[in-house]
Amino acid sequence: MGLCYSVFTTIKLAFAAWFLVWLSRLIYSLIVYSFIWERASIPLETSPFIEDQRRVANFDFLDDSNLQNRLIARAIPNQRLVKVFGIENSFTTTNIKTHRRFYRNVGRALHGRRAENWPRFFTAASTALNLILAQFADARDSLPLAVLTRELVFLTTLYSFFEVNIENVSLHDARVATDAINDMWVHSKTIAQPDVLQERRRQLNAALLRMLPNEFPCSAATHPMNTILPAYETMWRIVLLTFISAGFRDVDQETADQFREVIQGVPECFADGNSDNVAAMAMNFSKEGLRLYPPTKRIYRAFLDESQVMADIQKCHRDPDIWPNPEQFRPSRFLPGEFTADMERAYLPFSIKPHKCPAADKFAPHAIIILVVVLAKSLGTLESGATVRFGNDTLDRDRSALLPSGRLDTEDWTLQMKDTSV
Ligand code: HEM
Ligand SMILES: *[C@@H]1O[C@H](CO)[C@@H](O)[C@H](O)[C@H]1NC(C)=O
Ligand SMILES: *[C@@H]1O[C@H](CO)[C@@H](O)[C@H](O)[C@H]1NC(C)=O
Ligand SMILES: *[C@@H]1O[C@H](CO)[C@@H](O)[C@H](O)[C@H]1NC(C)=O
């Protein structure tokens, strides 16, 4: 009887256990399927326009988008950079080995200890700005913002990628180099003036040789401009535009409050990881600057017959069907509840895989906001009594007007520091 009872109990228990396993499997697969179902039911191609731009950026427009074909499609439209600057890097080469070597070296610099030591980067940038401001001691009521931002970003680029001691560099050389690069870029887009370009290139190389003696002699593929161009050219414009947008244009109360906190909290908030709320907020200022004023406004690709296609990044970033009030500078739009899947697909400041910018996730957004805060701490903001003049009636009168962001549009912008106003 006892034996019979325990056998019966065992069978009952085994049945119960089997039932539980079956039930949990059922629940598990229901969860998994509903998840897949939900993902599948999110319309991935809500905007044909955005999807078209993505296909250009990720090279899917090519019939066969292997690495060799991708390099060719990118190099063809970038040949003017070879002609003007004599560079040979991932943007201009069709040689897989050259691309890989350059990409590896840049990656090492981007993830090196120096680049990620943000408080030290902040100190280096502050030192640079103090030295630069000493040059303009007589012009504190009319500081040339573009010149000043270019020199600041150029010097910190030398610090980040070439371990240059900023106090050791002649500011005159930094000025010559940044003026030359700007001129060469402008000339590269207009009618070629070979003698002007030649002279500018000679000046640039002479200045670089004095600032970076260890980098010379070099070949096209090891020339320091290979790194300086993608790092510095994109950065100086976005730093200037983000500084002006956050500090001197109309923003809502929340953004104004956040910017005050960011100015207070950077760089300490970056000292130990990015768990900090102020750190996330600070990164969102960089992200919003990059949305409204993407330094790479358009990405050009070419077919083998040299006909071109283009991804209009700026248009994706300002599409009113995707971004509410697209012309407003508002970093909180990156809050999780507000940032939609459509926005994520439309947000392309660093392009996308398989050639997404290696500076996208850490280096660029950190460096941008740190440089913006260095400018704000030292030059001030509208709130702290500084003034910016744009040399353009529309922009001076209407603080909500979108800023023009072409290469030459910022040349006349000046800043008056608080202590010099009458
Ligand atoms: C705000 C700053 C920056 C922006 C907006 C930016 C933007 C971009 C974009 C749009 C691309 C894709 C280009 C294409 O496929 O045609 C790219 C690629 C690249 N960027 Fe950046 N970039 C920035 C900073 C930097 C910095 C600091 C470096 C470091 C030197 C860098 C190095 C590169 C490299 C090596 C690639 C090629 C990646 C590949 O071929 O896989 N960028 N960047
Ligand atoms: C840089 O500084 C070191 C000392 O820190 C000095 O010996 C060297 O001459 C300086 N180089 C230049 C180019 O000024
Ligand atoms: C900033 O953006 C991130 C998402 O990228 C979000 O998680 C975070 O809450 C935002 N923070 C603030 C203060 O806007
Ligand atoms: C002033 O700026 C506005 C807005 O960017 C632009 O449309 C206009 O052409 C500029 N005016 C002049 C005279 O440059």
Side-chain angles (χ1 to χ4, degrees):
M1 166 82 184
L3 182 71
C4 193
Y5 179 76
S6 68
V7 166
F8 182 65
T9 312
T10 310
I11 289 171
K12 232 171 49 178
L13 276 176
F15 181 77
W18 173 82
F19 180 73
L20 275 178
V21 168
W22 177 82
L23 192 68
S24 57
R25 280 210 183 136
L26 180 73
I27 291 170
Y28 175 73
S29 53
L30 276 178
I31 289 171
V32 167
Y33 275 105
S34 68
F35 183 67
I36 290 172
W37 175 254
E38 194 182 326
R39 286 182 55 133
S41 68
I42 292 175
L44 280 180
E45 306 205 357
T46 42
S47 161
F49 174 75
I50 302 289
E51 296 309 317
D52 280 349
Q53 313 312 297
R54 291 177 65 94
R55 267 192 292 281
V56 172
N58 69 13
F59 297 87
D60 273 359
F61 74 96
L62 290 172
D63 290 333
D64 179 5
S65 69
N66 62 43
L67 177 56
Q68 182 65 71
N69 288 349
R70 298 199 301 269
L71 291 180
I72 294 171
R74 176 164 65 181
I76 292 172
N78 283 338
Q79 283 314 297
R80 63 190 179 85
L81 298 178
V82 177
K83 240 185 260 158
V84 175
F85 293 100
I87 60 175
E88 185 183 351
N89 62 17
S90 291
F91 299 95
T92 65
T93 191
T94 56
N95 182 311
I96 291 178
K97 273 196 187 140
T98 308
H99 161 64
R100 291 219 166 109
R101 197 179 323 117
F102 179 74
Y103 189 85
R104 219 175 19 247
N105 287 339
V106 163
R108 212 174 290 135
L110 283 171
H111 305 111
R113 273 198 301 137
R114 196 156 210 172
E116 292 192 0
N117 193 336
W118 299 118
R120 264 184 74 182
F121 180 91
F122 180 92
T123 307
S126 305
T127 304
L129 186 56
N130 286 338
L131 293 169
I132 293 163
L133 282 177
Q135 280 183 302
F136 294 109
D138 302 334
R140 298 200 164 219
D141 56 350
S142 184
L143 291 168
L145 276 169
V147 168
L148 193 143
T149 309
R150 280 200 287 267
E151 290 187 17
L152 170 66
V153 175
F154 185 80
L155 289 174
T156 52
T157 303
L158 297 189
Y159 163 85
S160 294
F161 293 95
F162 301 95
E163 317 231 328
V164 161
N165 178 358
I166 286 173
E167 285 165 281
N168 227 346
V169 171
S170 140
L171 280 182
H172 176 72
D173 285 336
R175 178 65 167 274
V176 169
T178 50
D179 281 353
I181 295 170
N182 213 46
D183 252 29
M184 289 161 83
W185 201 290
V186 172
H187 279 291
S188 82
K189 293 206 175 176
T190 56
I191 348 122
Q193 285 181 282
D195 43 333
V196 178
L197 278 178
Q198 212 51 42
E199 175 58 12
R200 289 314 231 167
R201 192 151 153 197
R202 201 194 50 73
Q203 292 170 343
L204 173 60
N205 276 328
L208 286 173
L209 176 62
R210 288 188 293 269
M211 291 184 281
L212 302 169
N214 298 336
E215 303 297 316
F216 292 88
C218 59
S219 66
T222 60
H223 197 286
M225 279 309 289
N226 285 311
T227 311
I228 292 174
L229 212 57
Y232 153 82
E233 253 311 308
T234 46
M235 289 289 271
W236 80 261
R237 287 176 292 142
I238 189 60
V239 166
L240 177 54
L241 286 157
T242 308
F243 171 54
I244 301 300
S245 298
F248 295 91
R249 306 298 283 170
D250 273 348
V251 291
D252 60 14
Q253 193 57 47
E254 183 188 25
T255 304
D257 293 343
Q258 289 181 344
F259 193 46
R260 226 176 291 116
E261 268 192 79
V262 166
I263 294 175
Q264 282 269 314
V266 168
E268 287 78 11
C269 64
F270 293 140
D272 23 66
N274 280 358
S275 48
D276 202 291
N277 183 42
V278 181
M281 210 187 270
M283 298 290 270
N284 291 350
F285 272 74
S286 299
K287 286 190 207 165
E288 177 66 340
L290 289 161
R291 180 193 67 83
L292 196 49
Y293 301 110
T296 306
K297 289 189 181 127
R298 296 179 188 90
I299 295 177
Y300 294 92
R301 313 271 188 232
F303 291 100
L304 276 178
D305 68 1
E306 310 222 340
S307 64
Q308 294 199 4
V309 288
M310 182 260 280
D312 196 331
I313 307 297
Q314 182 169 283
K315 203 165 168 196
C316 294
H317 288 186
R318 296 179 182 180
D319 186 338
D321 292 336
I322 292 178
W323 309 90
N325 300 320
E327 302 200 348
Q328 205 185 352
F329 180 89
R330 198 172 60 84
S332 310
R333 65 172 86 241
F334 288 95
L335 276 167
E338 230 183 290
F339 195 63
T340 63
D342 276 354
M343 292 178 193
E344 195 167 346
R345 287 187 82 70
Y347 187 69
L348 309 162
F350 298 105
S351 189
I352 41 180
K353 279 182 196 165
H355 287 281
K356 187 178 171 187
C357 178
D361 297 326
K362 294 195 95 176
F363 183 84
H366 280 92
I368 290 167
I369 192 60
I370 290 174
L371 291 163
V372 166
V373 167
V374 165
L375 286 170
K377 277 190 163 141
S378 146
L379 304 182
T381 60
L382 197 60
E383 205 174 84
S384 77
T387 326
V388 164
R389 291 199 181 79
F390 297 93
N392 171 317
D393 276 352
T394 316
L395 296 175
D396 284 330
R397 251 195 334 252
D398 176 9
R399 279 212 295 268
S400 68
L402 205 57
L403 299 169
S405 56
R407 182 168 307 270
L408 293 174
D409 291 329
T410 59
E411 293 305 307
D412 293 336
W413 297 4
T414 59
L415 183 144
Q416 177 170 35
M417 287 171 77
K418 180 187 177 189
D419 51 7
T420 58
S421 44
V422 198

